Amino acid sequence: MTAYADLQVSIIDELPLGRKPVTTFAMSQSRREEILQKIKNHCASGQQVYWVCTLIEESEFLQNQTAEETYQLLIQNLPSLNIGLIHGRMKTDQKESIMQQFKNAKLNILVSTTVIEVGVNVPNATLMVIEDADRLGLAQLHQLRGRVGRGGKEGYCYFMVTDKERLTDNARRRLLAL
């Protein structure tokens, strides 16, 4: 349509005014304790965190960290922080309520599936952890990472992978591109 019809092309070649690039790391899930400590320090400074999982609950086919498991893990390991859980199987009013709590800084950490990919703006959220990031596509990783660092403070994104040595070449290239 761009070549033969009346569709115009827009090129976005710079960040919005005031936004800084998001510092991105790929880390093995074996370094989870290190991430938990970073989150604790991050929240102590008044900032908020997204923790994104690819699954809501356990699957007999995939051995991925789920949102429900992560939510429980964070409650156990970070008892002084307020943690919320949001995913696509929740009712709309329940999702809106949890999202509003996060926007209003009533929650330090929001554990979610990729439902937060587009249209979510919480300027105080400056750190994101994405579980099993090697399973997601380039566009989806880019959209998720764009949720942090929106308020003028530097953003950080940690791509958690099961085992860096077992990454496929495609997954490795996707993560390196970001």
Side-chain angles (χ1 to χ4, degrees):
M1 286 184 68
T2 303
Y4 301 109
D6 192 22
L7 183 68
Q8 294 184 353
V9 175
S10 297
I11 297 174
I12 301 171
D13 59 357
E14 58 186 37
L15 291 170
L17 192 62
R19 294 267 311 261
K20 297 177 181 160
V22 176
T23 305
T24 306
F25 306 92
M27 296 179 78
S28 169
Q29 290 181 358
S30 64
R31 296 176 64 188
R32 188 174 305 279
E33 290 298 321
E34 185 179 333
I35 292 292
L36 292 173
Q37 188 58 50
K38 286 180 187 301
I39 288 172
K40 191 183 291 186
N41 295 339
H42 203 74
C43 291
S45 71
Q47 296 173 57
Q48 293 170 277
V49 175
Y50 291 105
W51 193 304
V52 180
C53 299
T54 56
L55 298 175
I56 297 170
E57 57 191 23
E58 283 189 36
S59 165
E60 61 185 85
F61 304 107
L62 299 171
Q63 299 300 313
N64 293 14
Q65 185 73 21
T66 71
E68 290 177 347
E69 290 172 336
T70 300
Y71 176 68
Q72 292 302 322
L73 177 127
L74 293 175
I75 286 173
Q76 291 171 1
N77 287 286
L78 302 170
S80 63
L81 298 177
N82 294 320
I83 303 166
L85 172 65
I86 188 170
H87 56 74
R89 287 193 197 149
M90 297 172 113
K91 293 181 180 177
T92 302
D93 58 333
Q94 192 178 14
K95 286 190 285 193
E96 288 174 5
S97 172
I98 292 168
M99 209 53 235
Q100 198 59 47
Q101 289 177 54
F102 191 62
K103 284 181 182 178
N104 294 336
K106 304 279 189 240
L107 298 173
N108 304 104
I109 303 170
L110 181 63
V111 178
S112 76
T113 57
T114 57
V115 296
I116 57 128
E117 183 177 1
V118 177
V120 174
N121 185 25
V122 180
N124 198 41
T126 55
L127 190 147
M128 176 177 280
V129 177
I130 303 175
E131 288 279 357
D132 302 303
D134 51 301
R135 294 189 29 82
L136 300 175
L138 191 59
Q140 195 167 34
L141 288 169
H142 179 69
Q143 283 290 341
L144 287 167
R145 184 178 65 172
R147 301 302 100 209
V148 294
R150 299 174 72 87
K153 293 182 182 174
E154 189 172 359
Y156 300 91
C157 186
Y158 293 90
F159 296 150
M160 302 293 285
V161 295
T162 306
D163 183 358
K164 283 186 179 182
E165 305 307 316
R166 295 174 58 194
L167 284 178
T168 66
D169 286 339
N170 277 342
R172 187 180 311 279
R173 282 195 301 270
R174 275 194 311 271
L175 297 177
L176 286 173
L178 290 166

